[in-house]
């Protein structure tokens, strides 16, 4: 079942396994997928002498397998056959079970995972075509290995369609904690940990002092701008710390990248990995999976407080927190996110095969989404606010060739309607006639640009009406010693190559101010 070339690659990956790991599978004999599971697991287990597989046939068993380490439960279960993007999740689960893998979080994050209260049963419903699902599956598998009270199960929605229907899941990844919805959509270990802490609580250690760390330069944000700023600062011989929710930032959610000069073709996952690899070439202290709780930027020595109790201090702070998907901010939008309203066609488009969907936004991302969706959906309607499309000509020409793709301009979405469990329609106003009309849709994909991640800094820094941090041509903000770069700023054109340049500029400006005694 598995390609021979893939098996050879896996053999190389598993050459260093030390533990005996068993793939413990169960199934019903009349399950049509049982033979496929057997073949898949036998092929997979053939890649290492440390891997074995055992099968148990039960009358009411679900098609699944769990990982055992030296015949002991790990808490990791795959309900389905983890092909497609989830094959990487299986590889990492085996490596992590053996104590290997560069994705293990640092000691501070592990202590927060261990402190989660009670017995926690997690399920993640996935699509094997979803590019964002593996991040969530891999993060929760890690938590299961770190905290023995956590059990995690990946569920293939393609096989268990009745469960998907019963739970009214319309977007993946969809995470359930103790049978209640916890998370829908893109996520990483830091985000999921915070959501679990909010849901189940944490054991607190009395009189625990916050951990304080001091640097010459603190960079906030791990996208192209933040990584560039950290590397340029480190090259000046400064002590540099970088805190981020995830390395790569928004880049992780980008599929094809063809305009990064000198790199003709890459993708978000690869670029994020390359950024992290480049960081490791320098003595930069990386603190990933951190979320900012508060900042104090007006003093000469600035302080950044993160959730979990750490405090980072430095005379120079470079903010490169990027941006997130912009929302419609109408009606019941928040209520129907994940239940008809989506931001990633690659992840959630397969749920709308043969159905009618809308894409809001006529820029590059909007038309790319519409073209992708037109290949699987019955009809796709694009609503563009302006009187012309903003997408590149090549995308407009491609869209024009697709018979099931309609574009409506001068269209303003004014309301979202649903039946209480899922979206059913959009209310759209014709901006020329002011007439409003309801359009029935099964799903809506919002592609209207990005909103700056500037909230933690708004009390201290000057922002634009679009809530972007105002910077001058040297990336200086309204406070001495505080710099900003990339998509969080008012610099025009939100592009990877521009963010990298702005990060470098911010670092050089901070170094210059240091030499001149300004900071």
């Amino acid at each position: 079942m598995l390609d021979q070339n893939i098996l050879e690659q896996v053999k190389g990956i598993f050459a260093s396994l030390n533990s005996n790991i068993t793939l413990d599978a169960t199934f019903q004999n009349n399950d049509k997928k049982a033979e496929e599971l057997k073949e898949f697991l036998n092929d997979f287990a053939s890649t290492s002498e440390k891997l074995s597989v055992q099968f148990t046939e039960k009358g009411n068993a679900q098609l699944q397998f769990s990982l055992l380490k030296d015949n002991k439960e790990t808490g990791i279960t795959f309900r389905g056959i983890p092909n497609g993007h989830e094959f990487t999740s299986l590889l990492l689960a085996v490596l992590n079970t053996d104590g290997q893998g560069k994705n293990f979080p640092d000691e501070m994050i592990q202590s927060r995972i261990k402190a989660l209260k009670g017995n926690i049963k997690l399920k993640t419903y996935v699509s094997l075509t979803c590019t964002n699902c593996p991040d969530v599956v891999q993060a929760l598998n890690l938590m299961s290995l770190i905290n023995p009270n956590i059990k995690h199960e990946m569920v293939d929605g393609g096989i268990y369609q009745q469960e998907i229907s019963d739970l009214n899941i319309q977007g993946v990844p969809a995470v359930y904690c103790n049978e209640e919805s916890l998370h829908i959509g893109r996520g990483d270990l830091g985000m999921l940990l915070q959501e679990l802490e909010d849901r189940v609580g944490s054991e607190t250690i009395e009189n625990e002092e916050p951990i304080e760390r001091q640097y010459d330069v603190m960079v906030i944000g791990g996208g192209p701008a933040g990584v560039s700023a950290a590397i340029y600062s480190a090259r000046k011989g400064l002590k540099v710390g970088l805190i981020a929710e995830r390395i790569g930032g928004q880049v992780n959610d980008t599929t094809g990248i063809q305009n990064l000069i000198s790199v003709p073709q890459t993708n978000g996952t690869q670029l994020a990995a390359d950024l992290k690899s480049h960081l490791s070439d320098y003595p930069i202290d990386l603190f990933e999976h951190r979320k900012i709780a508060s900042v104090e930027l007006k003093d000469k020595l600035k302080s950044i407080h993160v959730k979990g109790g750490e405090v980072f201090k430095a005379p120079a702070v470079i903010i490169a927190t990027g941006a997130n998907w912009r929302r419609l901010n109408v009606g019941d939008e928040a209520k129907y996110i994940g239940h008809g309203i989506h931001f990633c066609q690659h992840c959630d488009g397969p749920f709308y095969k043969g159905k009618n969907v809308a894409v809001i936004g006529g820029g590059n991302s909007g038309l790319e989404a519409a073209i992708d969706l037109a290949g699987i959906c019955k009809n796709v309607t694009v609503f563009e606010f302006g009187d012309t499309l903003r997408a590149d000509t090549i995308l407009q020409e491609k869209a024009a060739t697709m018979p099931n793709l309609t574009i409506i301009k001068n269209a303003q979405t004014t309301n979202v309607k649903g039946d209480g469990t899922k979206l059913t329609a959009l209310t759209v106003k014709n901006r020329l006639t002011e007439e409003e009309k309801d359009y029935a849709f099964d799903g809506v994909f919002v592609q209207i640009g990005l909103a700056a991640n500037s909230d933690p800094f708004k009390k201290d820094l000057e922002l634009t009406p679009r809530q972007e941090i105002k910077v001058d041509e040297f990336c200086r903000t309204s406070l001495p010693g505080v710099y900003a770069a990339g998509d969080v700023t008012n610099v025009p054109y939100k592009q990877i190559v521009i963010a990298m340049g702005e990060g470098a500029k911010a670092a050089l400006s901070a170094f210059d101010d240091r030499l001149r005694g300004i900071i």
Side-chain angles (χ1 to χ4, degrees):
M1 179 180 180
L2 289 172
D3 182 83
Q4 191 60 40
N5 290 330
I6 292 175
L7 290 175
E8 289 301 319
Q9 292 176 40
V10 175
K11 283 181 182 179
I13 293 171
F14 288 163
S16 61
L17 288 180
N18 296 307
S19 307
N20 293 311
I21 298 171
T22 303
L23 310 171
D24 183 20
T26 61
F27 57 89
Q28 294 183 48
N29 189 44
N30 60 354
D31 192 324
K32 296 178 181 178
K33 288 280 186 178
E35 288 303 317
E36 186 179 337
L37 177 67
K38 289 180 184 178
E39 186 179 356
F40 175 87
L41 293 181
N42 281 327
D43 284 353
F44 189 80
S46 72
T47 59
S48 172
E49 292 181 355
K50 292 293 185 179
L51 291 176
S52 61
V53 58
Q54 60 188 34
F55 299 103
T56 303
E57 181 185 335
K58 294 181 181 179
N60 61 348
Q62 294 180 313
L63 186 85
Q64 65 181 38
F65 65 95
S66 300
L67 298 191
L68 308 180
K69 178 181 180 179
D70 298 326
N71 290 318
K72 294 181 180 179
E73 293 282 351
T74 62
I76 297 174
T77 299
F78 291 87
R79 188 140 60 91
I81 304 172
N83 267 321
H85 291 293
E86 290 305 333
F87 188 68
T88 302
S89 296
L90 176 57
L91 291 177
L92 264 179
V94 172
L95 288 174
N96 292 160
T97 296
D98 194 48
Q100 301 186 49
K102 296 180 180 179
N103 59 326
F104 270 99
D106 60 61
E107 198 171 302
M108 183 66 187
I109 299 299
Q110 290 196 40
S111 68
R112 288 173 60 191
I113 294 170
K114 291 174 183 176
L116 290 168
K117 285 184 179 179
N119 293 313
I120 303 168
K121 184 179 179 182
L122 300 168
K123 292 182 185 178
T124 304
Y125 291 88
V126 307
S127 164
L128 299 184
T129 62
C130 169
T131 55
N132 290 325
C133 291
D135 289 340
V136 171
V137 171
Q138 292 161 24
L140 297 180
N141 282 344
L142 264 181
M143 289 191 197
S144 299
L145 294 170
I146 294 167
N147 184 335
N149 295 321
I150 298 175
K151 310 296 180 189
H152 177 239
E153 179 179 78
M154 182 220 80
V155 184
D156 179 2
I159 293 178
Y160 293 96
Q161 295 180 11
Q162 188 58 52
E163 280 185 49
I164 294 287
S165 178
D166 291 344
L167 293 169
N168 194 35
I169 294 173
Q170 293 182 300
V172 290
V175 180
Y176 283 73
C177 173
N178 297 333
E179 307 303 329
E180 294 184 357
S181 178
L182 175 74
H183 176 92
I184 296 175
R186 291 185 302 273
D188 56 32
L189 190 145
M191 181 189 300
L192 293 161
L193 175 56
Q194 182 63 51
E195 290 173 341
L196 281 169
E197 287 173 334
D198 293 342
R199 176 67 59 87
V200 303
S202 297
E203 303 287 351
T204 57
I205 302 173
E206 291 186 12
N207 303 319
E208 186 176 30
E209 291 292 325
I211 298 172
E212 186 174 302
R213 311 178 196 274
Q214 190 161 326
Y215 291 89
D216 296 323
V217 178
M218 276 305 307
V219 179
I220 309 175
V227 171
S228 176
I231 288 172
Y232 265 75
S233 296
R235 286 174 63 86
K236 294 297 185 182
L238 301 176
K239 185 180 180 184
V240 181
L242 186 151
I243 56 178
E245 294 189 26
R246 58 175 176 168
I247 293 300
Q250 198 74 7
V251 159
N252 288 279
D253 306 320
T254 306
T255 48
I257 300 172
Q258 300 174 332
N259 56 357
L260 184 56
I261 308 307
S262 86
V263 183
Q265 177 70 47
T266 188
N267 58 64
T269 302
Q270 184 59 53
L271 180 55
D274 291 342
L275 290 172
K276 192 167 189 176
S277 176
H278 200 172
L279 272 176
S280 69
D281 289 342
Y282 294 87
I284 297 166
D285 289 344
L286 171 60
F287 301 92
E288 210 172 351
H289 311 302
R290 266 61 171 188
K291 188 173 182 64
I292 297 172
S294 63
V295 296
E296 298 160 13
L297 302 177
K298 293 182 179 179
D299 295 334
K300 188 171 181 65
L301 192 64
K302 289 78 169 74
S303 298
I304 303 141
H305 301 256
V306 302
K307 294 193 174 180
E310 291 167 292
V311 182
F312 298 87
K313 295 190 173 185
V317 172
I318 300 173
I319 300 167
T321 46
N324 255 319
W325 297 114
R326 190 179 298 279
R327 296 188 179 185
L328 297 169
N329 293 320
V330 298
D332 286 333
E333 178 186 20
K335 180 177 181 179
Y336 293 113
I337 290 176
H339 299 281
I341 295 179
H342 308 279
F343 301 90
C344 176
Q345 78 276 10
H346 303 292
C347 306
D348 303 327
F351 288 94
Y352 295 93
K353 183 177 182 179
K355 297 183 178 181
N356 298 318
V357 301
V359 173
I360 302 178
N364 283 346
S365 59
L367 280 202
E368 285 172 358
I371 290 166
D372 285 346
L373 292 165
I376 58 174
C377 297
K378 183 179 180 181
N379 290 295
V380 180
T381 304
V382 176
F383 293 104
E384 163 56 36
F385 184 84
D387 55 9
T388 58
L389 294 176
R390 293 167 288 112
D392 292 344
T393 302
I394 190 170
L395 291 173
Q396 295 189 43
E397 290 173 347
K398 174 66 174 176
T401 67
M402 311 196 81
N404 62 335
L405 197 161
T406 302
I407 297 172
I408 300 177
K409 302 171 188 176
N410 291 301
Q412 179 183 356
T413 305
T414 56
N415 199 14
V416 169
K417 294 186 176 181
D419 61 9
T421 60
K422 64 180 185 299
L423 173 139
T424 57
L426 288 180
T427 302
V428 180
K429 181 173 72 174
N430 183 318
R431 294 178 55 244
L432 300 179
T433 65
E434 297 294 312
E435 178 187 357
E436 288 192 328
K437 179 181 177 180
D438 285 348
Y439 294 84
F441 290 111
D442 299 297
V444 174
F445 293 80
V446 181
Q447 299 285 321
I448 55 174
L450 302 170
N453 294 323
S454 60
D455 275 0
F457 318 106
K458 60 185 179 184
K459 69 178 176 64
D460 291 332
L461 300 179
E462 186 178 354
L463 305 182
T464 70
R466 291 173 61 86
Q467 301 303 296
E468 296 168 331
I469 297 174
K470 287 186 74 171
V471 294
D472 64 13
E473 63 269 33
F474 295 94
C475 294
R476 296 186 180 102
T477 69
S478 53
L479 285 179
V482 182
Y483 311 84
D487 289 3
V488 73
T489 74
N490 60 329
V491 169
Y493 310 119
K494 312 304 185 186
Q495 297 290 310
I496 293 170
V497 69
I498 291 174
M500 287 179 171
E502 291 294 301
K505 191 198 299 183
L508 295 173
S509 295
F511 183 71
D512 188 47
D513 287 350
R514 181 186 178 92
L515 290 180
R516 294 190 294 137
I518 295 175
I519 59 173

